[in-house]
Structures are given as structure tokens and as C-alpha cells.
């Protein structure tokens, strides 16, 4: 079971890979916006986005930083918990197919 800090660190690298970042040292606000555009509520979608995944309330362009190094991104994830929810969900789904929950709780 990964902690929220570890999940945020993992997510940092996932986003860097997904947006084809030139560097793995930082993410730009534009790259974060590009990644989280997928997690914005689309009223015309057949299946609505779970509210816990909806990042519509976050405007990365209005945030204080334009570059997010890993510690900055971890702090951002703690400030906006919704940013971590997709990877928390992934962890829980993965746990269902791996050794029992008692294994993970030890």
C-alpha cells in the first residue's frame, strides 16, 4: 500500500510520460492542464465522470507556480486531493487482483 506522498511521486512520473515531457525534473502548469483535461466533467459524455475525479475546479494557469518540481507537485496534490483520486483508484483496483488485503495491511 503506497502512501499519498508515494502515489503523488508515482503520478508525477506518469504525467511526465503521458504528456511527453522533455524533462522528468519538473512539470509545467500547461502539461498539468493537458493531463487533467481528461478529468473534466463533460456533460455530453455517455458515462459521467465520477465526481471524485472531476478536476474542473482547478485552473492550473491561475496557480502560483508555472513549473512544478516533484516536491511542489506533492504539495499540490495535498492541496487538491482530487488530483490523486485516479491513482488511488488504480491502486485499489490493483490490490483486488494481488495478494489479500491482510497482506497489504501488514
Amino acid at each position: 500500500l503506497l502512501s499519498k506522498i508515494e502515489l503523488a511521486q508515482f503520478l508525477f512520473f506518469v504525467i511526465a510520460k503521458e504528456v511527453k515531457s522533455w524533462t522528468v525534473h519538473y512539470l509545467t502548469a500547461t502539461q498539468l492542464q493537458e493531463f487533467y483535461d481528461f478529468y473534466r466533467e463533460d456533460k455530453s459524455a455517455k458515462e459521467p465522470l465520477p465526481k471524485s475525479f472531476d478536476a474542473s475546479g482547478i485552473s492550473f494557469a491561475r496557480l502560483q507556480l508555472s513549473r512544478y518540481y516533484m516536491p511542489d507537485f506533492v504539495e499540490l496534490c495535498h492541496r487538491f486531493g482530487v488530483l490523486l483520486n485516479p491513482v488511488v483508484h488504480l491502486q485499489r483496483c490493483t490490490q483486488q487482483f494481488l495478494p489479500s488485503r491482510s497482506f497489504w495491511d501488514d
Side-chain angles (χ1 to χ4, degrees), residues 1-104:
L1 185 62
L2 298 177
S3 69
K4 286 189 176 189
I5 292 172
E6 293 165 330
L7 286 172
Q9 292 168 339
F10 167 74
L11 184 57
F12 180 89
F13 289 117
V14 167
I15 294 171
K17 176 98 171 131
E18 184 68 24
V19 299
K20 297 174 179 65
S21 178
W22 290 97
T23 178
V24 292
H25 300 293
Y26 63 85
L27 296 169
T28 65
T30 305
Q31 289 170 324
L32 291 172
Q33 186 71 52
E34 177 185 337
F35 180 79
Y36 282 103
D37 277 346
F38 178 81
Y39 296 102
R40 296 198 178 278
E41 188 175 14
D42 182 2
K43 305 265 188 221
S44 63
K46 289 182 181 180
E47 295 228 5
L49 186 66
K51 291 220 182 277
S52 62
F53 286 20
D54 187 8
S56 299
I58 304 168
S59 173
F60 294 99
R62 292 184 178 165
L63 295 176
Q64 186 177 9
L65 301 176
S66 60
R67 286 185 177 180
Y68 289 86
Y69 293 88
M70 188 176 293
D72 302 320
F73 181 72
V74 170
E75 188 177 317
L76 187 69
C77 287
H78 281 283
R79 182 175 171 198
F80 299 104
V82 70
L83 299 177
L84 270 185
N85 287 343
V87 77
V88 169
H89 177 70
L90 174 64
Q91 177 175 258
R92 289 181 182 156
C93 289
T94 303
Q95 285 177 334
Q96 291 176 359
F97 294 99
L98 294 174
S100 70
R101 193 174 276 285
S102 63
F103 173 84
W104 294 104

